[in-house]
Structures are given as C-alpha cells and as structure tokens.
Short mmCIF file of all heavy atoms in Angstrom, two decimals:
data_model
loop_
_atom_site.label_atom_id
_atom_site.label_comp_id
_atom_site.label_asym_id
_atom_site.label_seq_id
_atom_site.Cartn_x
_atom_site.Cartn_y
_atom_site.Cartn_z
N GLY A 1 1.60 10.19 -11.13
CA GLY A 1 2.30 9.02 -10.63
C GLY A 1 1.36 8.13 -9.84
O GLY A 1 0.16 8.41 -9.70
N THR A 2 1.90 7.04 -9.32
CA THR A 2 1.12 6.07 -8.56
C THR A 2 1.72 5.88 -7.18
O THR A 2 2.93 5.73 -7.04
CB THR A 2 1.09 4.71 -9.29
OG1 THR A 2 0.57 4.90 -10.61
CG2 THR A 2 0.21 3.72 -8.55
N LEU A 3 0.87 5.89 -6.18
CA LEU A 3 1.30 5.65 -4.80
C LEU A 3 1.55 4.16 -4.58
O LEU A 3 0.71 3.32 -4.94
CB LEU A 3 0.24 6.15 -3.82
CG LEU A 3 0.26 7.65 -3.52
CD1 LEU A 3 -1.08 8.09 -2.94
CD2 LEU A 3 1.37 7.98 -2.54
N ASN A 4 2.70 3.86 -4.00
CA ASN A 4 3.07 2.48 -3.70
C ASN A 4 3.66 2.39 -2.31
O ASN A 4 4.22 3.38 -1.81
CB ASN A 4 4.09 1.95 -4.71
CG ASN A 4 3.51 1.83 -6.11
OD1 ASN A 4 2.45 1.24 -6.30
ND2 ASN A 4 4.19 2.39 -7.10
N PRO A 5 3.54 1.23 -1.66
CA PRO A 5 4.25 1.06 -0.38
C PRO A 5 5.75 1.20 -0.59
O PRO A 5 6.28 0.84 -1.64
CB PRO A 5 3.87 -0.37 0.04
CG PRO A 5 2.62 -0.69 -0.72
CD PRO A 5 2.73 0.07 -2.02
N LEU A 6 6.41 1.72 0.41
CA LEU A 6 7.86 1.88 0.31
C LEU A 6 8.54 0.53 0.18
O LEU A 6 9.49 0.36 -0.59
CB LEU A 6 8.38 2.64 1.54
CG LEU A 6 9.78 3.23 1.43
CD1 LEU A 6 9.84 4.24 0.30
CD2 LEU A 6 10.19 3.88 2.73
N ILE A 7 8.05 -0.46 0.91
CA ILE A 7 8.56 -1.83 0.82
C ILE A 7 7.36 -2.76 0.66
O ILE A 7 6.50 -2.84 1.55
CB ILE A 7 9.38 -2.24 2.05
CG1 ILE A 7 10.61 -1.33 2.19
CG2 ILE A 7 9.81 -3.70 1.96
CD1 ILE A 7 11.44 -1.62 3.42
N LEU A 8 7.28 -3.45 -0.47
CA LEU A 8 6.21 -4.40 -0.75
C LEU A 8 6.83 -5.78 -0.90
O LEU A 8 7.65 -6.00 -1.80
CB LEU A 8 5.45 -4.00 -2.01
CG LEU A 8 4.25 -4.88 -2.37
CD1 LEU A 8 3.17 -4.79 -1.29
CD2 LEU A 8 3.69 -4.50 -3.72
N VAL A 9 6.45 -6.71 -0.02
CA VAL A 9 7.03 -8.05 0.00
C VAL A 9 6.05 -9.02 -0.65
O VAL A 9 4.88 -9.11 -0.24
CB VAL A 9 7.35 -8.49 1.44
CG1 VAL A 9 7.95 -9.89 1.45
CG2 VAL A 9 8.31 -7.51 2.09
N ASN A 10 6.53 -9.76 -1.65
CA ASN A 10 5.74 -10.81 -2.29
C ASN A 10 6.08 -12.13 -1.62
O ASN A 10 7.21 -12.62 -1.72
CB ASN A 10 6.03 -10.87 -3.79
CG ASN A 10 5.58 -9.63 -4.52
OD1 ASN A 10 4.54 -9.06 -4.23
ND2 ASN A 10 6.37 -9.19 -5.49
N VAL A 11 5.11 -12.71 -0.96
CA VAL A 11 5.32 -13.97 -0.25
C VAL A 11 4.93 -15.12 -1.18
O VAL A 11 3.80 -15.16 -1.69
CB VAL A 11 4.48 -14.02 1.04
CG1 VAL A 11 4.72 -15.35 1.77
CG2 VAL A 11 4.83 -12.85 1.95
N GLY A 12 5.88 -16.03 -1.41
CA GLY A 12 5.63 -17.17 -2.27
C GLY A 12 5.77 -18.48 -1.52
O GLY A 12 5.72 -18.53 -0.28
N THR A 13 5.96 -19.56 -2.27
CA THR A 13 6.12 -20.88 -1.67
C THR A 13 7.28 -21.60 -2.34
O THR A 13 7.54 -21.42 -3.53
CB THR A 13 4.84 -21.71 -1.81
OG1 THR A 13 5.07 -23.02 -1.28
CG2 THR A 13 4.43 -21.84 -3.28
N GLN A 14 8.00 -22.40 -1.56
CA GLN A 14 9.11 -23.17 -2.09
C GLN A 14 8.75 -24.62 -2.35
O GLN A 14 9.55 -25.39 -2.88
CB GLN A 14 10.30 -23.10 -1.12
CG GLN A 14 10.83 -21.69 -0.93
CD GLN A 14 12.17 -21.69 -0.23
OE1 GLN A 14 13.07 -22.45 -0.58
NE2 GLN A 14 12.31 -20.82 0.75
N VAL A 15 7.50 -25.01 -1.97
CA VAL A 15 7.04 -26.37 -2.22
C VAL A 15 5.66 -26.30 -2.87
O VAL A 15 4.95 -25.30 -2.77
CB VAL A 15 6.97 -27.18 -0.91
CG1 VAL A 15 8.36 -27.37 -0.32
CG2 VAL A 15 6.03 -26.53 0.10
N SER A 16 5.32 -27.37 -3.55
CA SER A 16 4.01 -27.46 -4.19
C SER A 16 3.02 -28.14 -3.25
O SER A 16 3.39 -28.92 -2.38
CB SER A 16 4.12 -28.25 -5.50
OG SER A 16 5.05 -27.65 -6.37
N GLY A 17 1.76 -27.82 -3.47
CA GLY A 17 0.73 -28.44 -2.65
C GLY A 17 -0.60 -27.73 -2.77
O GLY A 17 -0.75 -26.75 -3.51
N THR A 18 -1.56 -28.20 -2.02
CA THR A 18 -2.91 -27.64 -2.00
C THR A 18 -3.10 -26.82 -0.74
O THR A 18 -2.71 -27.27 0.36
CB THR A 18 -3.96 -28.75 -2.06
OG1 THR A 18 -3.75 -29.54 -3.22
CG2 THR A 18 -5.36 -28.17 -2.10
N VAL A 19 -3.67 -25.64 -0.87
CA VAL A 19 -3.89 -24.77 0.28
C VAL A 19 -4.93 -25.42 1.19
O VAL A 19 -6.09 -25.61 0.80
CB VAL A 19 -4.34 -23.37 -0.16
CG1 VAL A 19 -4.61 -22.49 1.05
CG2 VAL A 19 -3.30 -22.74 -1.07
N ARG A 20 -4.49 -25.75 2.41
CA ARG A 20 -5.39 -26.41 3.35
C ARG A 20 -5.98 -25.44 4.36
O ARG A 20 -7.14 -25.57 4.75
CB ARG A 20 -4.63 -27.53 4.08
CG ARG A 20 -5.50 -28.40 4.96
CD ARG A 20 -4.72 -29.53 5.58
NE ARG A 20 -3.79 -29.05 6.60
CZ ARG A 20 -3.07 -29.85 7.37
NH1 ARG A 20 -3.15 -31.17 7.23
NH2 ARG A 20 -2.25 -29.34 8.28
N LYS A 21 -5.19 -24.45 4.77
CA LYS A 21 -5.67 -23.47 5.76
C LYS A 21 -5.20 -22.08 5.37
O LYS A 21 -4.09 -21.91 4.86
CB LYS A 21 -5.14 -23.81 7.17
CG LYS A 21 -5.67 -25.10 7.75
CD LYS A 21 -5.09 -25.34 9.14
CE LYS A 21 -5.60 -26.64 9.74
NZ LYS A 21 -5.03 -26.88 11.09
N LEU A 22 -6.06 -21.09 5.61
CA LEU A 22 -5.72 -19.68 5.42
C LEU A 22 -5.91 -18.97 6.74
O LEU A 22 -6.99 -19.03 7.35
CB LEU A 22 -6.63 -19.04 4.35
CG LEU A 22 -6.18 -19.14 2.90
CD1 LEU A 22 -7.27 -18.59 1.98
CD2 LEU A 22 -4.88 -18.39 2.68
N TYR A 23 -4.86 -18.30 7.19
CA TYR A 23 -4.91 -17.64 8.49
C TYR A 23 -5.11 -16.12 8.39
O TYR A 23 -5.40 -15.49 9.41
CB TYR A 23 -3.63 -17.92 9.27
CG TYR A 23 -3.39 -19.39 9.54
CD1 TYR A 23 -2.35 -20.07 8.93
CD2 TYR A 23 -4.22 -20.09 10.42
CE1 TYR A 23 -2.13 -21.41 9.18
CE2 TYR A 23 -4.01 -21.44 10.67
CZ TYR A 23 -2.96 -22.10 10.04
OH TYR A 23 -2.75 -23.44 10.29
N VAL A 24 -4.94 -15.53 7.22
CA VAL A 24 -5.03 -14.07 7.08
C VAL A 24 -5.90 -13.73 5.88
O VAL A 24 -6.15 -14.57 5.00
CB VAL A 24 -3.64 -13.42 6.91
CG1 VAL A 24 -2.79 -13.63 8.15
CG2 VAL A 24 -2.93 -13.95 5.67
N ASP A 25 -6.33 -12.47 5.85
CA ASP A 25 -7.14 -11.97 4.74
C ASP A 25 -6.68 -10.55 4.43
O ASP A 25 -5.76 -10.02 5.07
CB ASP A 25 -8.63 -11.99 5.11
CG ASP A 25 -9.52 -12.02 3.87
OD1 ASP A 25 -8.99 -11.84 2.75
OD2 ASP A 25 -10.74 -12.21 4.02
N PHE A 26 -7.34 -9.91 3.48
CA PHE A 26 -6.99 -8.55 3.11
C PHE A 26 -7.04 -7.62 4.33
O PHE A 26 -7.92 -7.74 5.20
CB PHE A 26 -7.96 -8.02 2.05
CG PHE A 26 -7.83 -8.69 0.71
CD1 PHE A 26 -8.60 -9.81 0.41
CD2 PHE A 26 -6.94 -8.22 -0.24
CE1 PHE A 26 -8.48 -10.43 -0.82
CE2 PHE A 26 -6.81 -8.84 -1.46
CZ PHE A 26 -7.59 -9.95 -1.76
N ASN A 27 -6.06 -6.69 4.37
CA ASN A 27 -5.99 -5.63 5.38
C ASN A 27 -5.62 -6.12 6.78
O ASN A 27 -5.59 -5.31 7.71
CB ASN A 27 -7.29 -4.84 5.47
CG ASN A 27 -7.67 -4.21 4.15
OD1 ASN A 27 -6.83 -3.99 3.28
ND2 ASN A 27 -8.96 -3.91 3.99
#
C-alpha cells in the first residue's frame, strides 16, 4: 500500500490572475 496523510487539502483559486507573491514553500 501507499502512505498518505489522513487529511490532504488541495488549495485552489476562485479567480484568475498571475502569481505575484509566494509566502510558503515545501515543508
């Protein structure tokens, strides 16, 4: 089998646009 998080949330967007700022990274 494969290990997965118990709850995995996919964060999306409700509007279109160009990414101007990124505040987080992996981990």
